Amino acid sequence: MPETGGRARKPALEFNLHREIYIPRIIGYALSLIILATSLWQQDSPWWTWVLVLVNCLAWPHAAFLISKRSRQPNQQELRNLVLDSFMGGFWSYYIMFNPVPTAVIYSMLLVNAMAVAGPRFFFLNILIFIAGGLILVPISGFHFNPETNMNTIISCLPLLLIFLPMNGLTAYLRTMQVKRVKTMLQEAQKVAARDMAMAVSVQLSVLPSALPQSDDWNLAYEFKPMLGVAGDFYDFYMFDGRLTGLGIFDVSGHGISSGLVTMLAKSMIFLAFKEKLSAPLGEVFTAANRELFHEIKNAHYYITGALLRFHENSVEYTSAAHPPVYLKSGDRVVTVLNERGELLDGILLGMDEREYPYETTSLELSPGDYLLLYTDGLTEQRNPSDEEYGTERMAEALARAPLGTAREVLDYLLDDMYRFVGRKNSFHDDLTAIVLKKK
């Protein structure tokens, strides 16, 4: 969810490459100026080369910083600046006639930076750029090589060797310590997140029924498996006067803690609506719950699907809010529960629209030994390694094959079939909840 109110704050761990390189570049170029000035003076170079080397060594570090700072992608721009550094290093190596000692020192300064900043691939790219900068004027002015290095040239290289390279080592050390601090912060954040998740799981489980209700008319079994620690699925059993009066199964959009918070709010509201509408058509429970839920969660952009059952002495009422249909198993025959017109029960999503919507209710009669299956789409939408969904057709076929045992045995058979298809038992693409009822 986006933050509202207050001033925007920069990320605490934001990394600006151009700021990291600014001071080392100023120092590196200033020390390189000593080397280049000594060589150019000994070669009696023309005045314009002096202007060029002064601009390069004294003005370029500041220009590079400003160019990166004003770029929309400052880190990427700074990598381009480092490539230009390598090119100019090669260019000046040509002007000092590839004198071995100063050329090697400049080369080392530039390539150490490239390796430290972006790794081996960038390092080898900069080698090629350095060579290109050194050879670019060869077709025009020819190739010149001065193999002799006098004492003045050697002394001019010492400041860079004695100052810049140790400074790079210090910078690397400071970066290592920064990485350690960030790692420690992340570990602490992970511990806090894990503790918060454990608390959220505990709170949600304390709200959901932890045991099956006792009923003279029904044998029940359920399976509840969150994809993450906290589920967007939830279920409820409605007991009044010591009798199982109804049950519900629901699925909140999304996953994780935010969806889990909505489940706890919605569970309470739907329970109160069920209690207040005990003598009204079952669809009115969803109408009342939807009205309350819309006002509570409309700004959170969540919605809920759900299915409700209410039990009578000789029949079962059923209504749906855009939830997967209920399946009836009678012997080895499995059918989808439909309305009187032979159509699936539909209904708008809960919490999406404040208009009074008439949720349709249907009634069905079960014989002893018949089963009902309610589930969330986490059951049918699990996928195998080939990315195929388990699907409603496979689920219905497995339900038909299931032995006529207890509700638990039927549910276990169905889940085992799904696990065999998916190929794993503890990894899910969605929250999974399923309830099987057997008429005694």
Side-chain angles (χ1 to χ4, degrees):
M1 295 287 292
E3 282 190 19
T4 57
R7 297 174 59 185
R9 301 175 68 180
K10 289 187 176 181
L13 302 179
E14 183 180 5
F15 178 72
N16 295 307
L17 185 59
H18 62 288
R19 296 185 186 278
E20 294 279 330
I21 290 179
Y22 183 41
I23 298 301
R25 181 181 272 125
I26 290 173
I27 296 173
Y29 268 95
L31 298 175
S32 298
L33 178 59
I34 298 173
I35 300 173
L36 295 175
T38 300
S39 298
L40 294 177
W41 174 69
Q42 292 180 136
Q43 295 170 195
D44 197 22
S45 297
W47 66 269
W48 60 267
T49 57
W50 287 93
V51 173
L52 188 60
V53 76
L54 289 171
V55 170
N56 187 189
C57 292
L58 300 181
W60 165 245
H62 307 289
F65 175 78
L66 292 175
I67 291 170
S68 295
K69 182 180 179 181
R70 294 173 181 176
S71 171
R72 291 184 178 180
Q73 296 180 313
N75 288 349
Q76 287 76 5
Q77 178 58 48
E78 189 53 42
L79 292 179
R80 291 191 285 270
N81 291 346
L82 287 169
V83 170
L84 284 173
D85 288 341
S86 296
F87 181 84
M88 289 184 286
F91 179 83
W92 287 115
S93 296
Y94 172 85
Y95 263 99
I96 61 175
M97 295 185 290
F98 299 103
N99 194 292
V101 173
T103 298
V105 170
I106 293 172
Y107 167 91
S108 298
M109 175 191 73
L110 295 171
L111 275 299
V112 162
N113 265 349
M115 175 67 84
V117 167
R121 291 182 62 182
F122 193 64
F123 170 79
F124 288 114
L125 170 64
N126 278 266
I127 290 177
L128 296 177
I129 297 299
F130 185 91
I131 294 171
L135 299 179
I136 191 169
L137 292 181
V138 169
I140 300 173
S141 304
F143 182 82
H144 306 285
F145 177 58
N146 177 18
E148 297 181 1
T149 304
N150 59 36
M151 186 55 65
N152 288 335
T153 301
I154 293 174
I155 293 173
S156 71
C157 294
L158 290 178
L160 194 145
L161 291 171
L162 296 175
I163 297 174
F164 186 80
L165 295 181
M167 183 185 69
N168 257 11
L170 176 62
T171 301
Y173 169 77
L174 294 176
R175 286 177 181 167
T176 301
M177 297 306 295
Q178 183 182 30
V179 168
K180 287 184 177 180
R181 287 194 297 271
V182 170
K183 184 178 180 181
T184 300
M185 291 171 63
L186 291 175
Q187 289 172 339
E188 290 299 320
Q190 288 171 347
K191 289 179 181 177
V192 171
R195 185 166 62 247
D196 289 347
M197 178 61 79
M199 292 176 63
V201 171
S202 177
V203 170
Q204 187 180 52
L205 291 178
S206 70
V207 171
L208 294 176
S210 59
L212 287 167
Q214 298 300 313
S215 172
D216 295 333
D217 301 316
W218 299 96
N219 172 231
L220 292 90
Y222 75 94
E223 192 78 5
F224 176 67
K225 286 188 175 293
M227 183 184 77
L228 302 172
V230 178
D233 288 2
F234 67 102
Y235 58 93
D236 206 357
F237 304 113
Y238 305 120
M239 300 286 295
F240 296 98
D241 298 326
R243 178 174 170 270
L244 178 63
T245 305
L247 63 81
I249 186 170
F250 308 92
D251 186 356
V252 178
S253 58
H255 307 286
I257 292 178
S258 57
S259 295
L261 293 173
V262 177
T263 68
M264 290 182 277
L265 175 69
K267 179 181 178 297
S268 175
M269 289 185 169
I270 295 169
F271 171 80
L272 291 175
F274 190 96
K275 183 178 180 181
E276 291 172 359
K277 301 289 183 178
L278 277 177
S279 58
L282 187 59
E284 292 188 18
V285 175
F286 274 164
T287 300
N290 177 64
R291 183 171 55 249
E292 298 299 323
L293 282 167
F294 176 79
H295 290 293
E296 292 296 330
I297 67 173
K298 62 181 179 180
N299 294 325
H301 306 293
Y302 283 94
Y303 59 84
I304 304 167
T305 72
L308 276 179
L309 299 182
R310 185 160 59 192
F311 306 121
H312 301 280
E313 186 174 350
N314 298 313
S315 64
V316 178
E317 275 186 282
Y318 160 50
T319 189
S320 175
H323 197 77
V326 172
Y327 280 76
L328 167 64
K329 173 181 170 66
S330 183
D332 59 359
R333 176 173 169 267
V334 171
V335 297
T336 305
V337 176
L338 306 173
N339 62 18
E340 286 75 9
R341 300 184 302 279
E343 302 169 340
L344 287 173
L345 273 72
D346 202 353
I348 67 169
L349 299 161
L350 298 170
M352 286 285 287
D353 194 330
E354 65 179 335
R355 289 175 294 179
E356 296 287 323
Y357 186 88
Y359 290 88
E360 186 177 10
T361 301
T362 192
S363 181
L364 59 151
E365 295 185 6
L366 276 72
S367 301
D370 288 349
Y371 302 83
L372 290 175
L373 169 67
L374 296 83
Y375 64 94
T376 60
D377 57 14
L379 175 61
T380 54
E381 292 181 0
Q382 299 300 331
R383 295 177 178 272
N384 67 9
S386 300
D387 204 36
E388 296 177 281
E389 280 190 355
Y390 182 57
T392 55
E393 185 175 344
R394 290 187 180 89
M395 181 195 70
E397 291 173 354
L399 184 60
R401 294 193 306 268
L404 303 178
T406 64
R408 184 74 254 175
E409 289 169 338
V410 170
L411 181 55
D412 285 345
Y413 183 92
L414 177 60
L415 293 173
D416 287 343
D417 185 76
M418 184 271 290
Y419 291 135
R420 280 193 297 273
F421 174 82
V422 172
R424 56 187 177 275
K425 195 165 184 175
N426 296 313
S427 177
F428 297 96
H429 294 288
D430 196 357
D431 302 321
L432 185 157
T433 307
I435 301 173
V436 171
L437 302 91
K438 180 182 179 181
K439 177 69 173 174
K440 292 183 181 179

